[in-house]
Every structure is written in structure tokens, then in C-alpha cells.
Amino acid sequence: MTNNITIALDCMGGDEAPNIVIRGASKVAEDNKSVKFIFYGDLDLINPLIEKYPNIAGRYSLVHTTENISSEDKPSAALRRGTKSSMRLAIDSVKEGSSHAVVSAGNTGALMAMSKVVLRPLNGIHRPAIVTFMPNRQKKATVLLDMGANIDCDANVLYQFAVMGRAFAKAALRIEDPKIGLLNVGSEDLKGGDVVKAAAALIKQSSIGPSFYGYVEGDDISKGTVDVIVTDGFCGNVVLKAIEGTAKMVSGFLKEGLTGSIFAKIGYLFASSSLKSVFRKMDPRLYNGAMLVGLNGIVVKSHGSTDDVGFANAIKVAISLVENNINEAIIKEIESSGFSGSLSDVEQNELKING
Amino acid sequence: MTNNITIALDCMGGDEAPNIVIRGASKVAEDNKSVKFIFYGDLDLINPLIEKYPNIAGRYSLVHTTENISSEDKPSAALRRGTKSSMRLAIDSVKEGSSHAVVSAGNTGALMAMSKVVLRPLNGIHRPAIVTFMPNRQKKATVLLDMGANIDCDANVLYQFAVMGRAFAKAALRIEDPKIGLLNVGSEDLKGGDVVKAAAALIKQSSIGPSFYGYVEGDDISKGTVDVIVTDGFCGNVVLKAIEGTAKMVSGFLKEGLTGSIFAKIGYLFASSSLKSVFRKMDPRLYNGAMLVGLNGIVVKSHGSTDDVGFANAIKVAISLVENNINEAIIKEIESSGFSGSLSDVEQNELKING
């Protein structure tokens, strides 16, 4: 357990900032007596709120700015014009060593672009990615990456995703030896395109090879067949949103069903506590806290529409990642793989043919 | 309404064949007084069953075979060794004109491989695809393709999927002017890879351009933002299975919640009729009947684990496709597009650059 962890909090990102940020921090402070915060944002808004939470008194510092990255800003514009924004200043603090991690509920594209420029990719990592975790039928969650940072990925990039996803599962979810699956259209060896086949070959021959389960399919995400599922940013993003949409649709139908008639309403009264405890497993707030992984510094993205409970969970993810030195684990794994530097096109092609 | 439609039924595909096939046919025969059937399979099994359904008496013929394609057979093996299989003979009957469509709950890969060889792709179609439809929050369903027949797709192939998906939505779901979306990682024009951008450019300039909504994201499938969603077979397959998995997980949690305590059970008694009517919208049997689209002949794939109600729905999909001449509609659209023949690599590259 690292002592005196400081988390930089972007107080201008997300639908309900700065409220949920400060309330979220207060919730975390309740359980964690040593964590400290730096709040970045408009002090005219922050100061009156922060007084309501005496449990964080003396455990934070404030940095004032009125510059904000909006959810519509393009990453390039955010980079050019957002140098004094709350998001940027919070990232800068990680670079400068005044904080151990940054948490923001703001614009994902801008957060990734700024983090790449300020923090730079980890030594040997070609493409930082976005890694998240989702509910499944088992006890723990399924870690999934890339969630949309990289549309086209070659085999080596997918291998590096496997390393980073595994390190995230260990650090954030405390899974001891996370099993890795590669998302594909079938579990047989012959299935899938050349890139996926080459990635499977790379992972097998790497130091994480013993943790490689093989190919998994779309329904393995909710089955919890493996702990970490690797795919490119296009598929990852589409699948994540399709799953979120389906869960919303089903719960919408459920709500309709349980309020549809007077009998249904009576039924709901009887069943509600049991239903709530079961559906707690699917509460999206429990799965809030995606990491921008592969950077020299810990950057955690909160969902923009979450509440204080969700934001507190994102902060807790950041703390776990700091405590468990995720980046050191990633660097070590990549270095020991033997092909961390970069694969030439010829080598990759050979892997494709032999894979 | 076409009279005297004959449907060829593979009585050896799926978990519960031939039972569900014959019972499904009987259900369809109840509503449709003119449809006829040809049953392909082991008469020792079929004959005793068929006697139980007097409403199909005189409305079917039988073709005996004991050769079967198993769910484990590879497409290549099925092609070589399955020439006398129930699946193959049923497909042959469409080619020979003795039936108007074939329905099978058997091995999808084998069904596609055999159908391609026997029926051949439609004039101008580069890649036959698998098109299905799924529940959404609106009244009608969302049509989705390709579900896994084509891993890598270029822009012209995606354009042709749009044409075929739209024709399916018209013929099978009776949607008058189906709106088309292209699956992507964001709805902004700049998002996505080169192929998706080039496909959007192609669809816009084609005769179906006015029905093109633009890019859609993963959650638009359940939102019902558009009627038809186009993507490559890798993403389509992964997304379909992820959605099925999520729906199963949520209903699993629901079941747990409604049987978890004595109070929950009492609640369920009150709410059950209301819940059932709402969840009917999501009954997978209602969405059974994927088409292998783009072939000279109508081939419908039933889910392997469905029951008689689901199989009956697959037969009804086949009948609708015959009645509405889906293949003529596809050919007409492709011919009028102006680039139906085939795009050279150079042309495609130009489209990419200009797209």
C-alpha cells in the first residue's frame, strides 16, 4: 500500500461537474484516510461546494482555471487551445510529479490526445489504448480493450493490448493470474483474419503465453470465459456500445413490465429488494473507471454521465493502479517479451504466414 | 401474394430435428393454406412424426436420405462429402426449381458454402452475406449484416450489403423505405477507418443514397435509430453474439431476482403476466430466420437451438422473401447503381481518397 497518494481531479469534465467530482472525492476520503486531492477548475463554483464536505478539509489543494474542454471539442483543437484547461492542468500535474494519477469525466478524445502529448507513451508501447471492465455472470468483471483509441491495429499492437489488459486486470481488479482471450468470430484455430491469427501466434510465444486462453467470441464477454478480452478499437467500441444499449433496452422493458398494471406494481413491491440486490451486479457505476493505458502516467476516464458513486469508483480505480504500479508491470512484461522494440513489416508478415 | 409456394426443409439440421421442423411446418400450414413443403431427411424418423399433424397431409412430399452434415463439419468437408446430405438435397431443389426456398437449422458455414456452389451469387454481387434482424426499442426490428460470412470487406462489398439489407427489410419486415446506417465508432463524418469512409461515399452516390442515414454506433442497434445496419462480417458476428450474451445475462439475473426469496416469488406471481407481455418483444424466436442473401435462390438459416415456434418463424421469413421477390429487387438496385459490375482497385482507391 503506497502512502500519501495524490489524485488530480478535473472539475470541469462530465455532465454534473464539479458536483459529482467533489462528492465523489469525499466518498473516497471516507474509506481511504491517506489519499489527497488536487481540484482543477473554477474556484467560484468549487469553493462553495467543497465546504459542505468537512471530511476532505486539509486534504486537498485547488488550482483555479475557467478554461474548459467541451464534449464537442476535437482533440486537435483541445490540444491547441486547451493548454490552460482544467483537464490539461490536471494531466500536467502527473507529468510534473505533483500528483500520482488524473481522473476526468471529460471528452475522451481530448483526454487521450493531451495525455499522449504530455505524458508520452511508455517505453516500447506503440499505441496507448483505452481499457475498461464490464459485468459478467461470474464474480469478477471482464476487462476489455481497446475501446476506440486505435481503429486499425496490427498483430504486435494487439499483443501489447494483451499485456496492458492483463496488467490492468491484476492492478485494478486484483485478479491473480488473468486469462487472456482474443476476440474472434469462432473459437477454432482456423477462424478469423490474418491480423488476429498473427496476434495469437505472437501472444503464444511471449512471456504471457501461459495465460493465453485462445480465441473467444462476443458472448464470452458476458459469460466471463476469460478475464481479459483483446480486440481493435473499432470492434471494441462498437461492442461496448452495443452491450450498453442492450442492457438499457432490457432494463427499460423490465421497468415497463413492472409498472404496466396495478398487479405488476404490487408484484414489484414484493420483489424489489431481491431484484435490486441481483441487479446491483450490473450497476454501471461499479464499472466506472476506464484507463488510458500505455502512457507514462496514470490517466483514468470516468463516464461523463455518472454520479458521485460512479466518480468515486473511478477514483478508486486510479488509486489501485497507483498502489499496484501498473506501469512498471507493463514495462517489465514488454521488455521480457523479446520483441518489445518494434516489429518490421517483414517480420510481421512472416508471423502472419507462420502464425 | 404468390400462390403455391413450396419450401424445402432440411430435417436433419439443428438440435431438435426433425421434430421442430415438422411441428414448425404444421404451425405455418395452419395460417397459410396454400404453402407446401418438401421434407429432406431420414424417413424412419420423419414418417411416424408427420402422421401426428393432419393439417399438412397432402401438402408435402418426402425425400429420403440418412446423410447428415454435423455442426462440427468444416464447410470444405461438407462440400466434398455431403452431396447426398439432407441440407445439400434441399438446396439442390431450389436450384432445380422444385422449391422456392430452403430453410435449415444446420451448420451455417456448410449451408453458405453449399449454397454458393449450388446456387451461385446473384449477378453483380461480389460476396453473399448473412443478414438477420434483432429487437429494438421501436416497433419494428433492426436488420443487421454481415453476420460472419465475410471477415474482410472493401467499400463496394459494404455498399452491396446496404442494398441487400435494405431489400431484406422491405421483403421480410415490410418496412416501406428502410433507412440505412453504417456501423462506426462515432457519428461524426471524420470518424472511422478508410474502408468505412469509402463505403459511405459509395452509398451516398448510389440509387439508395436518399435512404442513407449516415454513421451509427453500437447502441443504435437497440435504439432502432435506423432500419438496416451495415458492417463487415467480423464486427457483425462479434456484436450479434455480444448482444445475445448480454440479453441472456440480464434475463438470468432477472430470473434469479424473481426467485431469490419468498417475497420475490410472490411478487413474480403478481407481475408475471405484465412482464411476459413486455418481454415478448425480446423473444428470440420472433427474430429467427437469417437469410443467406446475394444468391440465386432463397436460403434461410434457422437458429440451431430454436423450437417449433422459432422454426415456424424462419419458414414465414422464407415465404415473405419469396412473395416479395427479394432477389429481383436486389438485382434491379445493383444494376441501377452504375457501379454494380466491379470496382477496380484504382477506382476504389480514388473513392477512398475523395470519400
Side-chain angles (χ1 to χ4, degrees):
Chain A
M1 184 80 77
T2 315
N3 281 319
N4 299 317
I5 291 176
T6 301
I7 307 291
L9 299 173
D10 171 8
C11 287
M12 294 173 108
D15 304 346
E16 297 289 333
N19 291 34
I20 58 150
V21 178
I22 294 161
R23 269 161 47 203
S26 165
K27 275 195 192 306
V28 174
E30 202 59 43
D31 300 331
N32 186 320
K33 299 299 177 198
S34 67
V35 66
K36 291 180 177 171
F37 305 103
I38 315 177
F39 296 102
Y40 293 83
D42 186 343
L43 294 194
D44 288 349
L45 297 171
I46 294 173
N47 274 326
L49 281 168
I50 218 161
E51 286 166 11
K52 295 183 194 166
Y53 301 94
N55 74 329
I56 50 173
R59 294 173 61 182
Y60 65 86
S61 53
L62 299 165
V63 178
H64 177 68
T65 178
T66 55
E67 257 186 58
N68 182 20
I69 306 291
S70 89
S71 60
E72 281 79 38
D73 282 333
K74 286 186 183 157
S76 53
L79 268 178
R80 269 198 316 276
R81 293 194 302 261
T83 50
K84 298 284 171 222
S85 64
S86 57
M87 184 188 277
R88 174 63 182 263
L89 295 176
I91 298 168
D92 286 344
S93 78
V94 176
K95 167 80 178 173
E96 292 153 6
S98 47
S99 72
H100 296 89
V102 50
V103 181
S104 171
N107 179 327
T108 312
L111 188 65
M112 180 55 106
M114 282 184 179
S115 301
K116 269 187 186 170
V117 165
V118 174
L119 302 172
R120 311 301 303 162
L122 279 175
N123 201 14
I125 291 292
H126 302 313
R127 306 270 201 96
I130 304 173
V131 56
T132 190
F133 53 112
M134 318 191 71
N136 65 33
R137 295 192 195 178
Q138 315 292 325
K139 274 190 188 152
K140 298 259 179 175
T142 304
V143 170
L144 200 63
L145 78 166
D146 172 31
M147 301 324 305
N150 308 283
I151 298 305
D152 295 310
C153 298
D154 65 23
N156 194 26
V157 165
L158 291 177
Y159 151 70
Q160 294 198 341
F161 288 174
V163 169
M164 297 193 289
R166 191 162 177 275
F168 181 86
K170 276 186 175 181
L173 306 181
R174 322 276 168 124
I175 299 171
E176 229 172 88
D177 177 23
K179 294 287 173 287
I180 303 156
L182 199 54
L183 197 59
N184 203 345
V185 295
S187 51
E188 304 87 358
D189 271 358
L190 286 164
K191 294 270 184 174
D194 291 342
V195 174
V196 170
K197 282 181 195 161
L202 265 185
I203 298 171
K204 266 183 211 160
Q205 70 182 81
S206 76
S207 55
I208 57 168
S211 304
F212 184 51
Y213 172 90
Y215 297 141
V216 292
E217 301 187 65
D219 51 348
D220 289 308
I221 300 169
S222 57
K223 278 184 189 162
T225 311
V226 293
D227 303 298
V228 181
I229 296 187
V230 171
T231 189
D232 64 55
F234 191 95
C235 258
N237 183 284
V238 160
V239 160
L240 173 75
K241 287 180 181 159
I243 288 174
E244 286 177 351
T246 306
K248 267 188 202 165
M249 178 177 70
V250 179
S251 13
F253 286 146
L254 176 64
K255 214 178 225 172
E256 237 179 272
L258 288 173
T259 52
S261 70
I262 182 73
F263 292 109
K265 281 176 191 159
I266 295 170
Y268 180 65
L269 282 179
F270 278 100
S272 63
S273 93
S274 179
L275 274 176
K276 271 180 194 157
S277 86
V278 169
F279 275 94
R280 200 163 293 146
K281 167 84 177 142
M282 282 187 54
D283 185 345
R285 299 178 303 178
L286 299 183
Y287 302 88
N288 192 34
M291 182 185 182
L292 275 50
V293 72
L295 297 161
N296 279 304
I298 290 169
V299 183
V300 169
K301 167 74 174 80
S302 160
H303 210 289
S305 61
T306 195
D307 64 6
D308 53 332
V309 175
F311 200 89
N313 272 314
I315 298 175
K316 286 178 193 165
V317 166
I319 294 172
S320 289
L321 296 172
V322 174
E323 283 177 349
N324 292 287
N325 288 314
I326 182 172
N327 284 341
E328 280 169 38
I330 291 170
I331 291 172
K332 221 169 128 185
E333 202 78 75
I334 294 284
E335 276 174 357
S336 73
S337 73
F339 42 85
S340 64
S342 72
L343 287 181
S344 71
D345 287 347
V346 177
E347 281 172 312
Q348 282 199 35
N349 221 19
E350 276 172 3
L351 271 162
K352 274 188 201 172
I353 293 159
N354 301 327
Chain B
M1 184 81 73
T2 315
N3 281 320
N4 300 319
I5 291 176
T6 301
I7 307 290
L9 298 173
D10 171 10
C11 287
M12 294 174 108
D15 304 345
E16 296 290 333
N19 291 35
I20 58 151
V21 178
I22 294 161
R23 270 161 47 201
S26 165
K27 276 194 192 305
V28 173
E30 202 58 43
D31 301 331
N32 186 320
K33 300 298 177 199
S34 67
V35 65
K36 291 181 177 170
F37 305 102
I38 315 177
F39 296 101
Y40 294 82
D42 186 343
L43 293 193
D44 289 348
L45 296 172
I46 294 173
N47 274 327
L49 280 168
I50 218 160
E51 286 166 12
K52 296 184 192 165
Y53 301 95
N55 74 330
I56 49 173
R59 294 173 61 183
Y60 65 85
S61 52
L62 299 166
V63 178
H64 177 69
T65 177
T66 54
E67 256 186 61
N68 182 19
I69 307 291
S70 89
S71 60
E72 280 79 38
D73 282 334
K74 287 188 183 158
S76 53
L79 269 176
R80 270 198 316 276
R81 294 194 300 261
T83 50
K84 298 282 171 225
S85 64
S86 56
M87 185 188 277
R88 175 63 183 263
L89 296 176
I91 298 168
D92 286 343
S93 77
V94 176
K95 167 82 178 174
E96 293 153 5
S98 48
S99 72
H100 296 89
V102 50
V103 182
S104 172
N107 180 329
T108 312
L111 188 64
M112 179 56 106
M114 283 184 177
S115 300
K116 270 187 186 172
V117 164
V118 174
L119 302 173
R120 310 301 303 163
L122 279 176
N123 202 13
I125 291 292
H126 301 313
R127 304 272 200 95
I130 304 173
V131 56
T132 189
F133 53 113
M134 318 191 70
N136 64 33
R137 295 191 196 180
Q138 315 291 325
K139 276 188 188 153
K140 298 258 179 175
T142 303
V143 170
L144 200 61
L145 79 167
D146 172 30
M147 301 324 303
N150 307 282
I151 298 306
D152 295 310
C153 299
D154 65 22
N156 193 27
V157 165
L158 291 178
Y159 151 71
Q160 295 197 340
F161 288 174
V163 168
M164 297 193 289
R166 194 163 174 274
F168 181 85
K170 276 187 175 181
L173 306 180
R174 322 276 167 124
I175 299 172
E176 230 172 86
D177 177 23
K179 294 287 173 288
I180 303 156
L182 198 54
L183 196 59
N184 202 344
V185 294
S187 50
E188 304 86 358
D189 271 358
L190 286 164
K191 294 272 183 173
D194 291 342
V195 174
V196 169
K197 282 180 196 162
L202 265 185
I203 298 171
K204 267 184 211 161
Q205 70 182 80
S206 77
S207 54
I208 57 167
S211 303
F212 184 52
Y213 171 89
Y215 297 141
V216 293
E217 300 186 66
D219 52 348
D220 289 306
I221 300 169
S222 56
K223 279 184 188 162
T225 312
V226 293
D227 304 297
V228 181
I229 295 187
V230 171
T231 190
D232 63 57
F234 191 94
C235 258
N237 183 284
V238 160
V239 160
L240 173 76
K241 287 180 181 160
I243 288 175
E244 286 176 351
T246 307
K248 265 188 204 165
M249 177 177 70
V250 179
S251 14
F253 285 146
L254 177 63
K255 213 177 228 173
E256 239 178 89
L258 289 172
T259 52
S261 69
I262 181 72
F263 292 108
K265 281 177 190 158
I266 294 169
Y268 180 66
L269 282 179
F270 278 99
S272 63
S273 93
S274 178
L275 273 177
K276 271 179 195 157
S277 86
V278 168
F279 275 95
R280 199 162 296 146
K281 167 83 177 143
M282 281 187 54
D283 186 346
R285 299 177 302 178
L286 300 182
Y287 303 88
N288 191 33
M291 182 185 182
L292 274 49
V293 72
L295 297 160
N296 280 305
I298 291 169
V299 183
V300 170
K301 166 74 174 80
S302 160
H303 209 290
S305 62
T306 196
D307 65 6
D308 54 332
V309 175
F311 200 88
N313 272 315
I315 298 175
K316 286 178 193 166
V317 166
I319 294 172
S320 289
L321 296 172
V322 174
E323 283 178 348
N324 293 286
N325 287 314
I326 182 171
N327 284 341
E328 283 170 36
I330 292 171
I331 292 172
K332 222 169 127 185
E333 202 77 75
I334 294 284
E335 276 173 355
S336 73
S337 73
F339 42 84
S340 64
S342 72
L343 286 181
S344 70
D345 286 349
V346 177
E347 281 173 313
Q348 282 198 36
N349 220 19
E350 276 171 4
L351 271 164
K352 273 187 201 173
I353 293 159
N354 301 327

